């Protein structure tokens, strides 16, 4: 019960910080005369999705993710290093590497993408976009790739929780167009510039810049794309949700469409192939149009 209360406290405390930052950005955008940065209905949907995600995720971490972590821990190296600058830095870097792998798989495996597509379906880039998450993440299983390697090494679960939450807090501040290039930091750290590319849906932008805090993973594994080389960035996904302002639909439509494809084609490979595989394997298959795209077609 104490872990659940801690999770709810975290949601409340950082939720207040995030809302304050969103309000400040919105005020700055309005005062500077910028348009097309915030869309009222989309922003409300982002906030609603973020709230439901964090509540479910916080309770899931408290109720079963940490319990599974402790169960796996007993079979690992049980390193459990003492707290020091070096061990904390090692944990931060290792957790970010695990996030890179987890994030990469969320883009490459349809099952995982069905939950992650929510985050990419926003057509605007602002701080509220960071909260556009999916409450099904805790049940998709991809968190195993992020949490469990640390259990096998032997990091304390409480320190791992702090490292993961800190990683997510850092990523919140990547979702903005108000911060341009950050000089030498661009070489090592993930920045708003790098993350804008990640949210793009044009060919040069898809499946790029998966890092959380650090960008050198992408440079090391060949998934990096500089914003200057990415062309004009178009936010969103190729198959937009049909109800783009309905928070519940935003979080379940990926799963529904995946299940429909499996049922239609009787092909379980759809579950683990990359998201566009079904369209390549069955070229006459088409996804439904979103409300906005459908209006453009008329």
């Amino acid at each position: 019960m104490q872990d659940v209360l801690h999770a709810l406290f975290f949601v409340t405390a950082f939720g207040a910080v995030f809302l304050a930052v969103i309000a400040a950005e919105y005020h700055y955008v309005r005062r500077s005369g910028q348009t097309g940065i915030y869309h009222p209905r989309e922003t409300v949907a982002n906030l609603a999705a973020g709230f439901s995600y964090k509540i479910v995720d916080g309770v899931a971490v408290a109720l079963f993710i940490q319990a599974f972590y402790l169960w796996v821990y007993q079979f690992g190296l049980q390193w459990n290093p003492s707290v020091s600058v070096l061990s904390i830095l090692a944990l931060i870097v290792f957790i970010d590497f695990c996030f890179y792998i987890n994030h990469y798989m969320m883009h490459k495996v349809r099952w995982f993408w069905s939950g992650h597509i929510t985050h990419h379906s926003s057509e605007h880039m602002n701080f509220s976009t960071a909260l556009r998450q999916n409450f099904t993440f805790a049940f998709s299983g991809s968190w195993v790739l992020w949490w469990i390697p640390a259990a096998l090494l032997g990091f304390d679960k409480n320190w791992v929780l702090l490292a993961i939450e800190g990683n997510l807090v850092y990523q919140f501040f990547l979702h903005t167009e108000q911060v341009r290039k950050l000089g030498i930091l661009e070489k090592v750290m993930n920045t708003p510039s790098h993350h804008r590319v990640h949210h793009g849906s044009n060919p040069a932008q898809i499946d790029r810049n998966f890092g959380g805090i650090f960008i050198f993973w992408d440079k090391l594994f060949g998934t990096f794309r500089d914003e200057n080389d990415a062309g004009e960035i178009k936010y969103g996904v190729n198959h937009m949700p049909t109800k783009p302002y309905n928070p519940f639909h935003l979080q379940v439509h990926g799963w529904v469409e995946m299940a429909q494809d499996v049922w239609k084609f009787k092909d379980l490979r759809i579950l683990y192939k990359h998201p566009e595989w079904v369209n390549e394997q069955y070229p006459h298959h088409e996804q439904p149009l979103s409300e906005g795209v459908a209006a453009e077609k008329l």
Side-chain angles (χ1 to χ4, degrees), residues 67-292:
F68 185 68
Y69 186 98
L70 290 174
W71 180 79
V72 172
Y73 182 92
Q74 64 185 317
F75 302 109
L77 300 177
Q78 299 184 21
W79 177 30
N80 195 21
S82 58
V83 178
S84 67
V85 173
L86 186 61
S87 65
I88 292 174
L89 181 60
L91 177 60
I92 290 172
V93 173
F94 183 70
I95 287 297
D96 199 62
F97 172 68
C98 293
F99 173 79
Y100 174 89
I101 299 299
N102 174 39
H103 198 184
Y104 181 88
M105 294 301 289
M106 285 195 289
H107 280 252
K108 296 297 186 178
V109 175
R110 178 78 181 272
W111 176 272
F112 297 145
W113 174 248
S114 294
H116 190 55
I117 189 175
T118 303
H119 184 59
H120 281 266
S121 62
S122 173
E123 296 183 285
H124 303 84
M125 176 60 83
N126 55 63
F127 284 129
S128 79
T129 306
L131 304 184
R132 190 184 181 95
Q133 301 290 343
N134 196 312
F135 72 86
T136 67
F137 173 77
F139 310 110
S140 70
S142 69
W143 56 267
V144 171
L145 301 171
W146 199 2
W147 280 79
I148 300 310
L152 292 173
L153 276 184
F155 283 107
D156 179 82
K157 74 174 179 65
N158 293 320
W159 283 103
V160 170
L161 175 61
L162 288 174
I164 288 176
E165 295 294 356
N167 193 291
L168 291 172
V169 169
Y170 180 89
Q171 290 185 54
F172 170 85
F173 294 97
L174 300 176
H175 296 80
T176 182
E177 292 185 318
Q178 306 312 307
V179 178
R180 307 315 297 176
K181 292 282 190 175
L182 293 176
I184 195 171
L185 290 178
E186 301 280 336
K187 296 184 180 299
V188 178
M189 309 299 292
N190 197 7
T191 65
S193 173
H194 297 325
H195 203 61
R196 287 191 289 270
V197 175
H198 179 72
H199 274 261
S201 61
N202 286 329
Q205 301 144 20
I206 293 176
D207 291 347
R208 298 289 178 174
N209 302 355
F210 293 105
I213 295 176
F214 304 108
I215 200 62
F216 49 66
W217 308 119
D218 291 280
K219 295 182 177 181
L220 180 63
F221 297 113
T223 54
F224 175 70
R225 178 83 71 193
D226 189 274
E227 189 175 23
N228 293 336
D229 302 322
E232 182 180 357
I233 296 177
K234 176 185 176 184
Y235 300 116
V237 291
N238 290 329
H239 306 297
M240 293 294 289
T242 57
K243 300 177 181 179
Y245 309 125
N246 182 318
F248 182 74
H249 176 78
L250 289 177
Q251 296 176 86
V252 302
H253 78 94
W255 297 103
V256 172
E257 290 168 9
M258 180 183 66
Q260 290 172 338
D261 286 346
V262 171
W263 179 261
K264 179 178 180 179
F265 299 110
K266 306 297 188 291
D267 194 337
L268 290 178
R269 291 177 296 176
I270 292 170
L271 299 177
Y272 60 83
K273 291 290 187 177
H274 68 82
E276 293 298 322
W277 181 83
V278 66
N279 299 314
E280 298 168 0
Q281 184 74 7
Y282 306 100
H284 299 297
H285 168 61
E286 293 185 359
Q287 296 285 346
L289 297 175
S290 69
E291 293 172 357

